Amino acid sequence: MSELRFRVVEKAFSKKPVSVDYPGERPDKFFAKNVFDREKMFRYLPKEAYNELINVIDNGAPLDRSIADAVAAGMKQWASENGVTHYTHWFQPLTGGTAEKHESFIEYNQKGGVMEEFSGKVLVQQEPDASSFPNGGIRNTFEARGYTAWDASSPVFIIDDTLCIPTIFISYTGESLDYKAPLLRALRAVDKAAVDVCRYFNADVRKVSAYLGIEQEYFLVDEDLCVARPDLLLTGRTLMGHESAKNQQLDDHYFGYIPQRVVAFMKDLEIRAIELGIPLKTRHNEVAPGQFELAPIYEECNLAVDHNMILMSLMRKVAAEHGFRVLLHEKPFKGINGSGKHCNWSLGTDTGTLLFAPGKTADDNLRFVTFVTNTLMAVYKHNGLLKASIMSATNAHRLGANEAPPAIISSFLGTQLSSMLDEVENSAEGISSTNKKKVRFDLPQIPEILVDTTDRNRTSPFAFTGNRFEFRAVGSEANCATAMIVLNSAVAEQLKRFKADVDALIKEGKTPHDAIMQVLRGYIKECKPIRFEGNGYSEEWKAEAARRGLDCETSCPVIFDNYLSESSIAMFEAVGVMTRKELEARNEVKWETYTKKLQIEARVLGDLAINHIIPVAKEYQDKLMDTVFKMNTVLGKCDAAKLGADNIRLIKEISEHTDYITENVEKMIEARKAANRIVSEREKAIAYHDTVESYFAGIRYHIDKLELIVDNRMWTLPKYRELLFI
Ligand code: ADP
Ligand code: MG
């Protein structure tokens, strides 16, 4: 019966690494080979079109349609030289993945044949009939049109034979139906608000960019083994499976020797990522067996998000070519670490200053404290919303487990930065009028900071790490635009408030320096509850966080309510990122997606329990009963009862487990049916959380117990020890 399992395991463990040939050149030579970057724009575009396009990219100038044809012609020429036959508008719908609909370049030529054509019109805008994408009710049928429009700030790239054009996706009535449109608005908002604040310190600042460096964690599982696990295949995680005797206790996998098959995969992935202009830099083993991490060098936020989306697709593709499945799910295996996507976020000016980097002068440090404090204020005020931005049916399994941030947002600053804020908070006298001249840009109590980057706290969801904040709660599978939309919007709103507060004091006659100090002092006091330097995994922290008034909700569908609180809606509208209507529609999608994911898991769990587990358990039980029966015949009832006691105990245990499983799968199905009848997406999602998912752990527990009892030779599903050690 389990011959298939043994065959698959044997096959998996005898696979050799796929050999990967490096292109004949060094990476700096083939970097961005498949990207229509500036250097290619310069080569393929007429001078005027090139200059205009650069102005669009660098300064956010509106794209003049009159140059679109020239740009399209240049792109088309470059693409043709690279064997490209198709193009697609590439966008990021609310499914969380990416979407593409390929069109070939051919058009009728009026002479009975075809010719290749690619006009400015189709480069700039398209109307894909993408009516099946989730939209939360925004596109009811009479206005069902959705448009994709080119985002010129993210370069066009080639994958296989297709020219991919990054686009936003919006409805006929202008609402965004994707992640990119609100992200671009959030980035514009934070740019504007931060420039206004930067001007207190440096009048030359014209632009502030948000930067994002992503650390992507993932698992690799042998493809054949994965295919033998319907739960992994259909839900991305194992819904059952007893822990392996050895997993990550010894910490021997972390930063350890990378298995050869995996190195080959990584190398292949790196070459292809670099050709797409994705600057992959770091690769290593993560904590759990079978778990790895990669990180590109940080980039402008919009580009970094696009690159991460491209990279996730590329990982799946390259993994398949190496006989692997890549698991991006946040918690594919019970009992070992899950995966996150650490988002290293910072702000930087066009004059070359990283705003979260402390400087050498007191002036620099005041700027530094200003941006840090405003960020903390934003995170404090919108901590529930930030949590909602990273929450999903899949990430819910990871948060709160003892290896990932808890389901409470707090910020770790480290001793040095903490004491710096304390000093600013308590420096009322030292900085007031009499010493004003002297301390204007010379705050003796703020030392030159050599921020100690070893001062790390892995349990914090939002930690300061030297010149940036690291948002660690983001899920490995997520489009991290959701987190970046909220973070950048909230910081933009907060910086606007800061400027208003400071300007009001200046109007009253305070110097800019004193006004800034006074406002900061108030903020530092106000946002103190968000600062937490201790162990975020501890039970005490949960109690403490509740006392501080931080959002401690753990139910995913209820956490989504944060998007619709009046303070969230006011914030998004104030910075022009999303309207109430868009927010409401998006939440419908979030609840619906949540429900569907749980529905699929419940079905798979039920099917596997009834079709795989119970039959195998019963068959083994039958064998045991056979043995006892034969003992009876050969030895007589009395001896058999004594000598067969173990078997009899197992027979009873198996029945207890199978009875529990059958009964609870039945109940789970009933709960699902009841939940399915609920009309409101929110209530339905809550019902799935409270009344359906609540069966999963119990059913799993009894299945995992059976795995330990049933004869190994009969067990059909590959076990953890086989899945996890490549
Ligand atoms: P770790 O956090 O494990 O020490 P790294 O130092 O390699 O990891 O950094 C992780 C990510 O942070 C990388 O993508 C890196 O480019 C990025 N990063 C470094 N500095 C910044 C910054 N100022 N802003 C945004 N991302 C940054
Ligand atoms: Mg890091």
Side-chain angles (χ1 to χ4, degrees):
M1 188 177 207
S2 60
E3 270 164 35
L4 174 67
R5 174 174 142 237
F6 288 134
R7 228 178 23 242
V8 168
V9 170
E10 199 183 324
K11 189 170 161 206
F13 281 81
S14 58
K15 282 183 191 164
K16 297 276 174 285
V18 174
S19 83
V20 178
D21 285 332
Y22 228 66
E25 315 152 302
R26 304 296 304 163
D28 58 332
K29 293 288 182 299
F30 60 86
F31 180 76
K33 184 181 138 206
N34 295 332
V35 181
F36 195 64
D37 58 6
R38 280 171 198 238
E39 184 259 326
K40 291 180 197 88
M41 288 174 195
F42 186 76
R43 256 196 298 145
Y44 285 88
L45 301 184
K47 193 150 179 258
E48 195 194 342
Y50 171 80
N51 288 337
E52 283 222 30
L53 187 56
I54 294 297
N55 190 29
V56 170
I57 295 169
D58 285 349
N59 306 317
L63 181 77
D64 189 332
R65 293 267 174 138
S66 65
I67 65 157
D69 277 328
V71 174
M75 270 180 195
K76 161 80 173 38
Q77 191 193 337
W78 168 69
S80 304
E81 286 170 16
N82 285 280
V84 167
T85 52
H86 289 65
Y87 66 93
T88 180
H89 276 199
W90 178 86
F91 57 103
Q92 299 168 27
L94 300 177
T95 51
T98 56
E100 46 195 279
K101 178 186 174 199
H102 298 193
E103 306 274 355
S104 90
F105 288 129
I106 58 168
E107 298 284 353
Y108 281 127
N109 66 359
Q110 312 293 343
K111 294 178 202 141
V114 293
M115 57 186 228
E116 286 202 323
E117 196 178 83
F118 182 58
S119 68
K121 209 169 104 226
V122 297
L123 163 66
V124 171
Q125 186 181 321
Q126 289 241 286
E127 189 193 329
D129 176 29
S131 48
S132 290
F133 286 115
N135 63 77
I138 278 183
R139 297 171 67 194
N140 48 36
T141 35
F142 65 87
E143 53 185 37
R145 275 187 283 179
Y147 291 96
T148 50
W150 183 31
D151 164 22
S153 64
S154 181
V156 165
F157 55 93
I158 296 173
I159 290 194
D160 300 330
D161 61 1
T162 304
L163 184 70
C164 302
I165 303 156
T167 56
I168 58 168
F169 182 39
I170 53 171
S171 76
Y172 177 61
T173 42
E175 282 90 9
S176 56
L177 298 169
D178 70 345
Y179 291 115
K180 189 189 261 289
L183 178 65
L184 289 173
R185 290 192 210 126
L187 294 172
R188 203 174 52 198
V190 84
D191 171 12
K192 181 165 181 332
V195 165
D196 284 348
V197 171
C198 279
R199 295 270 172 86
Y200 290 129
F201 307 98
N202 179 354
D204 295 336
V205 173
R206 293 270 171 282
K207 185 174 164 66
V208 170
S209 303
Y211 295 115
L212 176 61
I214 290 165
E215 298 163 65
Q216 174 78 54
E217 294 176 336
Y218 61 97
F219 279 86
L220 284 177
V221 172
D222 182 84
E223 172 133 59
D224 293 298
L225 287 168
C226 183
V227 169
R229 291 282 312 218
D231 48 354
L232 261 185
L233 209 57
L234 298 181
T235 73
R237 73 178 180 115
T238 54
L239 298 170
M240 57 196 65
H242 198 278
E243 277 179 43
S244 165
K246 174 182 187 297
N247 47 45
Q248 64 188 41
Q249 307 93 321
L250 300 174
D251 282 330
D252 51 350
H253 186 65
Y254 188 53
F255 282 10
Y257 168 81
I258 306 174
Q260 282 306 298
R261 269 184 77 195
V262 178
V263 172
F265 157 79
M266 289 174 165
K267 192 166 148 189
D268 210 350
L269 178 68
E270 280 165 7
I271 293 168
R272 288 151 78 169
I274 286 172
E275 286 178 345
L276 282 164
I278 305 171
L280 276 194
K281 184 165 174 71
T282 309
R283 62 185 190 200
H284 62 80
N285 288 3
E286 254 305 320
V287 171
Q291 192 187 27
F292 307 91
E293 178 179 310
L294 58 80
I297 302 171
Y298 71 92
E299 302 173 280
E300 185 282 320
C301 186
N302 174 42
L303 189 61
V305 170
D306 282 358
H307 278 170
N308 184 249
M309 297 306 289
I310 299 171
L311 196 59
M312 289 196 291
S313 305
L314 196 60
M315 286 167 84
R316 293 196 175 95
K317 194 153 104 185
V318 176
E321 291 168 15
H322 287 253
F324 289 126
R325 274 293 161 124
V326 63
L327 306 180
L328 292 169
H329 192 291
E330 284 80 3
K331 192 77 182 172
F333 301 99
K334 192 177 162 217
I336 55 175
N337 279 14
S339 302
K341 174 146 47 205
H342 295 184
C343 286
N344 293 268
W345 170 84
S346 66
L347 296 173
T349 67
D350 58 344
T351 54
T353 305
L354 276 178
L355 295 172
F356 299 122
K360 286 198 172 7
T361 66
D363 195 11
D364 280 346
N365 284 337
L366 187 59
R367 180 265 305 149
F368 166 63
V369 174
T370 296
F371 279 92
V372 166
T373 305
N374 277 292
T375 301
L376 291 177
M377 277 291 282
V379 173
Y380 173 51
K381 249 168 77 185
H382 298 287
N383 70 87
L385 177 61
L386 268 171
K387 185 164 74 181
S389 79
I390 53 91
M391 201 31 98
S392 65
T394 51
N395 203 19
H397 293 288
R398 166 176 167 261
L399 298 173
N402 252 14
E403 94 286 329
I408 301 167
I409 300 295
S410 66
S411 184
F412 169 87
L413 299 180
T415 39
Q416 221 155 353
L417 181 51
S418 293
S419 58
M420 189 166 175
L421 292 192
D422 293 343
E423 281 182 61
V424 172
E425 183 187 345
N426 301 317
S427 64
E429 291 80 38
I431 299 167
S432 64
S433 51
T434 47
N435 292 334
K436 199 162 42 182
K437 262 230 128 40
K438 194 156 166 239
V439 295
R440 187 186 153 116
F441 293 123
D442 176 28
L443 303 173
Q445 63 274 56
I446 301 180
E448 178 185 339
I449 317 162
L450 297 168
V451 174
D452 182 2
T453 45
T454 59
D455 199 353
R456 293 271 178 120
N457 180 332
R458 297 181 58 87
T459 71
S460 177
F462 195 83
F464 179 73
T465 51
N467 60 7
R468 61 189 187 270
F469 282 94
E470 187 170 335
F471 194 11
R472 299 206 183 97
V474 184
S476 49
E477 191 178 73
N479 180 336
C480 55
T482 49
M484 289 299 115
I485 291 166
V486 170
L487 181 59
N488 287 295
S489 302
V491 170
E493 182 212 35
Q494 174 56 38
L495 289 169
K496 277 172 75 171
R497 175 180 158 198
F498 174 75
K499 175 147 169 49
D501 289 349
V502 170
D503 286 353
L505 290 177
I506 293 174
K507 229 176 169 175
E508 286 171 17
K510 286 233 158 42
T511 66
H513 170 268
D514 286 2
I516 290 171
M517 284 298 281
Q518 184 176 331
V519 173
L520 287 180
R521 250 177 247 129
Y523 286 179
I524 290 171
K525 278 199 186 70
E526 189 181 339
C527 71
K528 225 173 233 172
I530 201 71
R531 283 160 60 187
F532 178 62
E533 305 285 302
N535 178 5
Y537 299 164
S538 67
E539 285 303 313
E540 299 83 70
W541 169 232
K542 285 186 197 157
E544 168 67 17
R547 274 195 297 278
R548 293 185 185 189
L550 299 178
D551 189 312
C552 296
E553 178 60 56
T554 56
S555 161
C556 177
V558 179
I559 289 171
F560 291 154
D561 287 347
N562 278 298
Y563 272 104
L564 298 180
S565 73
E566 285 310 311
S567 74
S568 299
I569 295 174
M571 182 276 284
F572 281 123
E573 293 195 336
V575 292
V577 171
M578 277 188 281
T579 61
R580 182 186 291 267
K581 185 173 171 194
E582 286 173 302
L583 289 162
E584 282 171 354
R586 276 159 189 265
N587 257 31
E588 291 292 301
V589 175
K590 282 181 190 294
W591 284 314
E592 198 183 329
T593 308
Y594 179 86
T595 297
K596 284 182 178 161
K597 291 220 161 153
L598 259 65
Q599 192 175 54
I600 293 168
E601 289 194 346
R603 285 179 180 160
V604 173
L605 180 61
D607 289 354
L608 280 182
I610 304 301
N611 296 331
H612 281 239
I613 308 301
I614 303 264
V616 172
K618 293 255 189 241
E619 191 180 333
Y620 182 54
Q621 192 184 37
D622 214 43
K623 262 177 79 176
L624 293 175
M625 289 201 278
D626 234 28
T627 311
V628 174
F629 185 77
K630 283 176 188 155
M631 279 174 123
N632 252 340
T633 320
V634 177
L635 303 172
K637 248 196 169 71
C638 198
D639 279 348
K642 228 180 335 173
L643 296 170
D646 268 0
N647 285 345
I648 292 167
R649 185 174 53 75
L650 283 180
I651 291 166
K652 286 184 184 153
E653 266 182 43
I654 291 174
S655 281
E656 279 162 24
H657 294 308
T658 52
D659 286 354
Y660 181 97
I661 294 167
T662 320
E663 196 184 317
N664 282 274
V665 165
E666 225 19 77
K667 286 188 192 159
M668 179 173 74
I669 292 170
E670 285 311 313
R672 214 163 71 212
K673 283 185 188 156
N676 289 344
R677 284 193 288 271
I678 300 173
V679 178
S680 147
E681 290 297 348
R682 177 178 181 274
E683 299 308 317
K684 195 191 288 187
I686 291 174
Y688 261 89
H689 176 273
D690 294 351
T691 67
V692 179
E693 197 193 21
S694 45
Y695 285 102
F696 290 10
I699 295 170
R700 176 184 188 139
Y701 173 83
H702 289 274
I703 292 176
D704 291 355
K705 285 285 174 205
L706 283 174
E707 186 183 321
L708 291 187
I709 296 174
V710 171
D711 185 343
N712 183 48
R713 287 167 303 180
M714 297 172 76
W715 199 256
T716 55
L717 300 176
K719 298 185 171 184
Y720 269 28
R721 63 168 187 260
E722 293 153 351
L723 291 167
L724 283 168
F725 298 91
I726 293 162

